């Protein structure tokens, strides 16, 4: 399972079956339009039961961008020996169902890009761009809206509302040219 983003497209490019979870039915439709094999609305009271019914053995890999708040739900959905990858620390600490964790023999890992150095991120980007299996031109980038930089607060409100589907862009215009004057030299 993955979030509405480029990740489902990447998974499908690699031959995987990509299921996504979104917070509205409209976003589920958008995710399927971007290539997700199947989507589930995580706000649906039957979300966990619906997903469990859709697979006999559970989900092999769960990529969770929402943080630890769904840890115990993920344990119910992951296949035995499956993997859960966390890309956010939102949600803080939570009580873990240790028995479920041990019984499922689940692998968990996490990664955060933000604290990495720019040089490290640049190397990662270069490696991705050089990959023979990754066709960057095949990705569909979904843009929700664009705001001028001076309206960054309004763009942030849009993001916080959860109503957006896709990236919210801030338009930065080039600064006006600066005229430099030098004193005449004699």
């Amino acid at each position: 399972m993955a979030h509405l983003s480029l990740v489902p497209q990447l998974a499908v490019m690699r031959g995987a079956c990509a299921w996504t979870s979104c917070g509205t039915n409209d976003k589920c439709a958008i995710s399927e339009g971007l290539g997700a094999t199947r989507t589930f609305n995580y706000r649906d009271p039957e979300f966990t039961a619906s997903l469990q019914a859709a697979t006999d053995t559970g989900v092999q890999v769960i990529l969770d961008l929402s943080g630890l708040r769904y840890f115990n739900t993920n344990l119910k959905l992951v296949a035995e020996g499956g993997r859960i990858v966390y890309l956010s620390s939102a949600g803080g600490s939570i009580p873990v169902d240790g028995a479920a964790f041990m019984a499922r023999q689940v692998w968990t890992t996490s990664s955060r890009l933000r604290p990495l150095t720019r040089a490290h991120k640049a190397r990662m980007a270069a490696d991705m761009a050089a990959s023979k299996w990754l066709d960057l031109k095949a990705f569909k980038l979904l843009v929700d809206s664009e705001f001028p930089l001076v309206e960054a607060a309004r763009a942030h409100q849009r993001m916080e509302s959860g109503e957006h589907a896709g990236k919210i862009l801030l338009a930065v215009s080039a600064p006006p040219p600066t005229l430099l004057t030098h004193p005449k030299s004699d």
Side-chain angles (χ1 to χ4, degrees):
M1 282 190 40
H3 186 270
L4 171 67
S5 68
L6 298 176
V7 174
Q9 295 176 64
L10 180 60
V12 170
M13 281 180 197
R14 297 292 294 155
C17 175
W19 291 3
T20 61
S21 60
C22 303
T24 69
N25 291 335
D26 287 342
K27 289 181 182 182
C28 287
I30 290 168
S31 184
E32 286 183 358
L34 290 172
T37 310
R38 186 150 180 208
T39 61
F40 297 84
N41 185 334
Y42 62 80
R43 290 193 174 118
D44 182 334
E46 299 298 315
F47 166 69
T48 303
S50 296
L51 215 154
Q52 286 173 322
T55 177
D56 294 330
T57 59
V59 179
Q60 293 298 316
V61 178
I62 296 176
L63 178 62
D64 191 324
L65 290 97
S66 60
L68 297 173
R69 72 187 90 167
Y70 296 110
F71 188 88
N72 289 316
T73 300
N74 289 341
L75 286 178
K76 293 176 186 172
L77 299 173
V78 70
E80 184 172 330
R83 290 171 283 185
I84 305 172
V85 181
Y86 288 95
L87 297 177
S88 170
S89 59
S93 59
I94 47 101
V96 173
D97 182 347
F101 181 73
M102 297 296 289
R104 308 281 294 211
Q105 300 182 54
V106 174
W107 291 78
T108 60
T109 188
S110 63
S111 180
R112 290 181 49 214
L113 292 175
R114 189 168 292 149
L116 299 177
T117 66
R118 286 184 187 211
H120 188 119
K121 292 176 191 177
R123 282 192 307 275
M124 290 173 61
D127 289 347
M128 292 282 287
S131 296
K132 301 280 188 243
W133 58 267
L134 181 61
D135 181 4
L136 294 176
K137 294 176 185 168
F139 282 113
K140 297 176 196 168
L141 182 60
L142 180 62
V143 176
D144 173 82
S145 52
E146 183 175 328
F147 294 87
L149 184 58
V150 296
E151 294 183 26
R154 201 166 68 108
H156 204 273
Q157 288 172 341
R158 173 94 179 134
M159 183 185 67
E160 288 178 346
S161 75
E163 299 290 320
H164 67 289
K167 302 299 179 189
I168 299 171
L169 305 178
L170 290 176
V172 181
S173 61
T178 305
L179 297 176
L180 296 176
T181 56
H182 296 283
K184 287 185 180 180
S185 59
D186 292 348

